[in-house]
Amino acid sequence: MARQASAAFQIAFGTPFVVLGGICLAGAIFGDGGALNVVGGSLLLLLGVGAAGAGVGQLMARGAFSQLTLEPLGRSFPLGGVARVRLVLEPKKPMDVNGASIVFKTIEKAVYSAGTDSRTYTDTLHEWTEAIALPSRLVGRIDHVIEIPIPRRLPPTFAGRHNSFISSCEVHVDLANWPDLDLNRELVIAAEYA
Amino acid sequence: MQVPFEIELPGLVAAGSELEGRVLFLEDAPGLEKVRAVKIVCDARVHGSGSEETIALGPLAIHGPFSAPAKVPFQFVIPRKGPTSYEGRYVKITWRVTVTLDIPWAIDPKQTVEFQVVPRPAKSSGVRQVS
């Protein structure tokens, strides 16, 4: 759901740039616009196409699947234990896969705000990446459970108003002849040792 | 007004368990009889580079009169989800207990003692360990 919202945002962000860029270029070509209009229009157009294109790509890749989920198998996971997440992929038609990977990441984030001054500080405390063994051709439903080791030294999940420790996992699937697919979910790390 | 007192706390407490402490009045100092109440706050101070925030438990108010030697016990339940004590690059979490003596018509004496909250050991076995 978050990814779909992100794709929609990318499209919404990119579209006005495409329109503005188009107007500038049209003005330069059909009117008496100068080189500045051509350069400015082209830059706006490129920016818009890039942003909106990424969003459209995500939606296209998602649209090729009848089922697509990444869900944690538990409400929370202990430190020093293993988090299990289930990846379900069911393409509408057989699809070739070039590769897939999962990244588990814990970040520390602090937001300072006073009046109009606002600053955000972020530090990655842990990052773990592993390849996911998917068949090279996806046919039918693929139900895959992935185990993620959680180090003992990590802080448990904390979401304050200005400060947080957030853990999440992101699955990246490189689809042949399709835009790549990204799925991510937040994982709750409990204040508990395994 | 000087009213000597001490705060007795364990150094480590697991998330989800009880913090048990005591306020000790060891000497029969003048003014102790004027202490109307002992106010105790337990909180996690979340500080560092971001805006500061606190997660407070309490306050507790234990009413007098008190006479030395006296031991005033108190307890707080630390939430299961913590937060646990942490010293990060941008976020630091410090747990502390602050005791204030409420004395009418005087500046209230105050003391703060820090302690650590650590993750609790899991009750269920069978969870695979990661080295």
Side-chain angles (χ1 to χ4, degrees), chain B residues 34-83:
Chain B
K34 290 182 182 167
V35 175
R36 191 161 57 183
V38 176
K39 291 182 178 170
I40 307 161
V41 175
C42 175
D43 64 8
R45 179 175 169 241
V46 187
H47 55 114
S49 302
S51 298
E52 192 169 318
E53 51 196 308
T54 53
I55 296 152
L57 310 176
L60 288 178
I62 298 155
H63 295 276
F66 304 99
S67 59
K71 293 174 181 176
V72 182
F74 62 86
Q75 60 183 44
F76 292 95
V77 178
I78 306 295
R80 282 178 66 82
K81 63 179 183 178

Side-chain angles (χ1 to χ4, degrees), chain A residues 4-42:
Chain A
Q4 271 178 327
S6 159
F9 172 77
Q10 283 171 322
I11 294 167
F13 176 81
T15 306
F17 286 94
V18 174
V19 173
L20 272 177
I23 292 169
C24 288
L25 277 180
I29 294 164
F30 300 111
D32 55 353
L36 197 65
N37 266 4
V38 176
V39 173
S42 304

Side-chain angles (χ1 to χ4, degrees), chain A residues 8-98:
Chain A
F9 172 77
Q10 283 171 322
I11 294 167
F13 176 81
T15 306
F17 286 94
V18 174
V19 173
L20 272 177
I23 292 169
C24 288
L25 277 180
I29 294 164
F30 300 111
D32 55 353
L36 197 65
N37 266 4
V38 176
V39 173
S42 304
L43 283 175
L44 284 171
L45 204 61
L46 278 175
L47 182 67
V49 167
V56 169
Q58 270 298 312
L59 287 184
M60 276 175 62
R62 288 177 163 274
F65 289 83
S66 54
Q67 197 176 358
L68 194 58
T69 55
L70 177 67
E71 58 176 350
L73 296 176
R75 281 196 349 217
S76 64
F77 302 98
L79 295 161
V82 171
R84 288 179 180 83
V85 291
R86 167 171 281 145
L87 172 67
V88 178
L89 301 171
E90 189 174 354
K92 290 175 180 169
K93 293 176 185 173
M95 278 183 141
D96 291 327
V97 175
N98 292 330

Side-chain angles (χ1 to χ4, degrees), chain B:
Chain B
M1 185 177 293
Q2 291 292 318
V3 179
F5 68 99
E6 289 176 19
I7 305 170
E8 196 179 77
L9 279 183
L12 286 179
V13 184
S17 61
E18 279 185 357
L19 167 76
E20 291 183 348
R22 291 189 297 185
V23 180
L24 308 177
F25 297 106
L26 300 175
E27 300 168 36
D28 204 358
L32 180 58
E33 74 285 352
K34 290 182 182 167
V35 175
R36 191 161 57 183
V38 176
K39 291 182 178 170
I40 307 161
V41 175
C42 175
D43 64 8
R45 179 175 169 241
V46 187
H47 55 114
S49 302
S51 298
E52 192 169 318
E53 51 196 308
T54 53
I55 296 152
L57 310 176
L60 288 178
I62 298 155
H63 295 276
F66 304 99
S67 59
K71 293 174 181 176
V72 182
F74 62 86
Q75 60 183 44
F76 292 95
V77 178
I78 306 295
R80 282 178 66 82
K81 63 179 183 178
T84 54
S85 301
Y86 194 78
E87 280 277 323
R89 187 173 170 196
Y90 299 124
V91 180
K92 297 167 201 332
I93 298 176
T94 309
W95 278 91
R96 60 195 181 167
V97 166
T98 303
V99 174
T100 308
L101 305 185
D102 179 16
I103 303 174
W105 300 101
I107 295 171
D108 293 345
K110 188 192 263 191
Q111 264 189 52
T112 298
V113 173
E114 293 180 1
F115 64 99
Q116 298 260 314
V117 172
V118 294
R120 65 189 170 277
K123 281 180 188 167
S124 61
S125 56
V127 178
R128 216 177 80 196
Q129 296 274 332
V130 173
S131 54

